[in-house]
């Protein structure tokens, strides 16, 4: 798919979608002190397991120069993640850790689907920002 200025091509659930590349959105948002709202119906990204709303394409952000990243964990499992300012359909689980963090200065916590408990990615936090790194092949496009 040809690149369109101001947009990034990202594979979601086996399909390539355009995500607005808006670096002015910053490094994330404070997800702890706000009311959690459902993602927007248009451009919704759903849990591929239970089809519950997780986030939306409009929540996509750029971290370390890109929305999408490919990382390998300590068990040699490769993940392709996308960065999102918020994911109301996710809940953090377990203790925060700085071990093997993919984003220097950020701790991470496992992020599960709020509806079915599927592992969808990680919640990354620093002293002044937070964002979700979601596993792109565990998200599906849709409306509800």
């Amino acid at each position: 798919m040809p690149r369109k200025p101001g947009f990034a091509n990202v594979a979601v659930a086996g399909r390539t979608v355009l995500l607005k590349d808006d670096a002015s959105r910053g490094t994330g948002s404070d997800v702890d002190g706000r009311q959690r709202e459902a993602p927007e119906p248009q451009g919704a990204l759903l849990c591929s397991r239970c089809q519950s709303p997780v986030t939306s394409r409009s929540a996509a952000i750029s971290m370390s120069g890109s929305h999408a990243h490919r990382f390998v964990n300590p068990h040699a499992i490769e993940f392709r993640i996308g960065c999102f300012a918020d994911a109301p359909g996710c809940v953090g689980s377990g203790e925060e850790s700085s071990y093997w963090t993919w984003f220097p200065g950020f701790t991470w916590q496992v992020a599960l689907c709020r509806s079915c408990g599927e592992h969808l990615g990680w919640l990354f936090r620093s002293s002044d920002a937070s964002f979700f790194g979601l596993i792109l092949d565990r998200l599906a496009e849709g409306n509800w």
Side-chain angles (χ1 to χ4, degrees), residues 34-104:
R34 328 185 266 204
Q35 180 181 4
R36 302 186 72 72
E37 298 178 13
E40 300 169 21
Q42 268 55 3
L45 296 174
L46 313 175
C47 171
S48 62
R49 181 176 177 199
C50 73
Q51 300 300 300
S52 293
V54 173
T55 190
S56 64
R57 287 187 280 163
S58 65
I61 59 169
S62 179
M63 292 299 298
S64 300
S66 181
H67 165 71
H69 300 268
R70 189 176 306 272
F71 293 114
V72 177
N73 74 6
H75 302 287
I77 300 170
E78 185 176 298
F79 294 96
R80 182 165 162 78
I81 67 167
C83 300
F84 296 87
D86 200 8
C90 283
V91 61
S93 178
E95 292 187 34
E96 291 185 25
S97 176
S98 59
Y99 176 70
W100 205 282
T101 187
W102 294 327
F103 296 94

